[in-house]
Amino acid sequence: MGIQSEKTRRMTLPSSRIKAVTFPPPPTTVEPDSKEGAKLARMHLNEAPFGPSPRVLTAAAEALTNAHRYPDHNAVELIGRIAALTGVERSCISVGNGSGEILIAVAQLAIEVGDEAVFPAPTFPTCGKGVQIAGGKLIEAPLRDDGVNDVASMLAALTDRTKLFYLCTPNNPTGGVLSAGEIAVAADTVPDDCLLVVDEAYHEFANAEGGPDVLSILQRRTGPWVVTRSFSKAYCLAGLRTGYALCSSPDIRDALWALRSNFNLSRPALAAASAAIADTEHLAHVLRQTLAERDRIAQTLQKMGCRLYSGSANFLTFQANGDAVNLATMLGEQGVLVQVLPWPNSKGSIRVTIGSREENDRFLTGIAAARKDIV
Ligand SMILES: Cc1ncc(COP(=O)(O)O)c(C=O)c1O
């Protein structure tokens, strides 16, 4: 009898928390080396158009010869290089399968069911998704008109229940960069029982232009903090999925470490990321080319009368006169993929990744052809 009633019990999976996750997955795109994919200018995912450096390719290929063995879970070599690069102690560094994985873990370590987390809106969605999965409540503060996180209104949203405070600089999707003063105010004001998270996926680009030293500002903070960074952007390794976290203390790092699945970084990823840090020439080349091409695109868009949001990353965000969806559709017909944003108003805006010179030319040609929708 007991067994029968067990059998008629209804399946309630997935849990209501998972059902409630509202964040859409990334867009699907055909593979770059397929016949169709080769014709596309992929300017919608903020990837690097440059391949990894030859030194990185060699290191990753060598790592494959031991593909039958699990990789180093402790990521000793990579963490040593990150420590040397950033000046942060090894005991305060964790690694992830992309910084996105760390952004989910960061929410898990800070949020209990019913806690609040303050976010700018719009921003990169993954940490917010982590908060939802952990049963937390998102409190969103609209960006300033210039596309920068509005620290003052975010701080005004703090309550006793706030356990996570997320800043993104440069902010994706708008490119806005926080000033040193704004980061310092957040570091000083966010309470000590709240985790301050700063997503610096585009750090290398902002740094190349003299952006604020987020790390040294946070080091003054008494409360906990985590900075997340990525190898997907300036280091050209999006397909290998590697990111890292710099933490205020070994306690926070140990929590992130505990949340890692075993061997979460593959052998080629570990080897490639270590080699990428060592290859400073390749990084300098990527930064130089990206910033020069970004300036070229920005000047052309400005001449056409677009409203451009200033940003220090590998993408540009702009508003044309017409509807952003129409413009993106026209570009799409030319094989140029860009991201439409439902921001700052009903016309929306476009985020375009800085591609190779050839891709950028294709984008500019497409924009010129659609000129009547712009000016
Ligand atoms: C602001 C921001 N944070 C984090 C990520 C995640 O990067 P990844 O998981 O590739 O390291 C991205 C990717 O576009 C991003 O734009």
Side-chain angles (χ1 to χ4, degrees):
M1 189 68 178
I3 292 172
Q4 261 178 3
S5 61
E6 294 258 321
K7 273 194 169 169
T8 55
R9 270 159 52 179
R10 281 270 170 82
M11 177 83 152
T12 55
L13 295 174
S15 74
S16 53
R17 255 196 258 164
I18 304 301
K19 274 192 205 144
V21 171
T22 50
F23 295 93
T28 41
T29 314
V30 289
E31 280 297 286
D33 46 9
S34 66
K35 207 170 158 203
E36 203 190 328
K39 293 188 208 141
L40 296 177
R42 289 167 61 118
M43 304 176 80
H44 63 320
L45 291 173
N46 297 344
E47 300 161 327
F50 314 96
S53 78
R55 284 164 69 179
V56 165
L57 288 175
T58 305
E62 273 171 15
L64 276 176
T65 58
N66 276 323
H68 56 300
R69 301 291 182 199
Y70 282 112
D72 174 17
H73 180 70
N74 293 322
V76 172
E77 185 186 351
L78 178 58
I79 288 184
R81 287 196 190 266
I82 295 169
L85 178 74
T86 60
V88 172
E89 295 286 329
R90 286 167 181 261
S91 59
C92 293
I93 300 172
S94 188
V95 286
N97 193 254
S99 63
E101 187 183 60
I102 302 171
L103 288 167
I104 299 270
V106 146
Q108 286 172 322
L109 89 85
I111 296 290
E112 304 269 15
V113 175
D115 285 343
E116 293 176 1
V118 176
F119 282 81
T123 194
F124 188 68
T126 301
C127 192
K129 179 176 167 180
V131 168
Q132 273 200 346
I133 294 170
K137 190 171 162 206
L138 299 180
I139 310 292
E140 295 184 321
L143 297 175
R144 290 189 334 218
D145 287 350
D146 57 1
V148 179
N149 297 182
D150 189 337
V151 171
S153 67
M154 288 177 70
L155 290 173
L158 285 168
T159 70
D160 290 350
R161 302 235 54 177
T162 314
K163 292 290 175 283
L164 188 151
F165 191 94
Y166 171 93
L167 297 173
C168 188
T169 183
N171 187 57
N172 183 7
T174 56
V177 178
L178 287 165
S179 68
E182 287 160 336
I183 298 159
V185 169
D188 292 344
T189 315
V190 171
D192 284 2
D193 65 350
C194 177
L195 181 66
L196 173 57
V197 180
V198 185
D199 182 340
E200 278 202 292
Y202 302 94
H203 161 76
E204 295 78 14
F205 300 100
N207 190 45
E209 295 190 297
D213 183 352
V214 172
L215 204 52
S216 71
I217 300 169
L218 291 185
Q219 275 158 348
R220 299 195 322 229
R221 172 172 159 78
T222 48
W225 52 264
V226 172
V227 167
T228 55
R229 292 190 187 161
S230 177
F231 284 93
S232 302
K233 311 298 177 182
Y235 287 108
C236 312
L237 292 176
L240 279 186
R241 315 301 304 119
T242 314
Y244 61 98
L246 307 170
C247 308
S248 51
S249 66
D251 282 3
I252 301 293
R253 178 267 188 194
D254 290 351
L256 285 179
W257 200 256
L259 287 165
R260 291 174 60 202
S261 59
N262 290 353
F263 312 112
N264 62 338
L265 266 70
S266 70
R267 276 184 182 278
L270 287 168
S274 294
I277 291 182
D279 196 344
T280 51
E281 268 171 46
H282 188 261
L283 176 65
H285 167 75
V286 169
L287 295 173
R288 221 175 19 249
Q289 287 290 119
T290 307
L291 302 192
E293 283 292 291
R294 196 186 65 203
D295 284 352
R296 181 169 78 94
I297 298 180
Q299 280 168 20
T300 312
L301 290 176
Q302 251 156 354
K303 275 190 210 143
M304 286 181 183
C306 296
R307 176 171 179 195
L308 211 62
Y309 293 89
S310 69
S312 294
N314 65 342
F315 60 89
L316 278 172
T317 303
F318 66 96
Q319 252 193 310
N321 206 21
D323 184 76
V325 174
N326 290 342
L327 182 53
T329 307
M330 282 187 233
L331 289 167
E333 284 159 5
Q334 313 295 315
V336 177
L337 307 181
V338 294
Q339 182 73 42
V340 176
L341 315 176
W343 179 89
N345 53 33
S346 56
K347 279 187 188 168
S349 49
I350 301 265
R351 188 195 71 193
V352 59
T353 306
I354 311 307
S356 64
R357 179 133 190 132
E358 190 242 321
E359 287 171 329
N360 299 335
D361 284 342
R362 282 178 67 185
F363 165 75
L364 291 173
T365 305
I367 287 280
R371 209 181 157 98
K372 64 178 176 6
D373 286 278
I374 299 172
V375 286

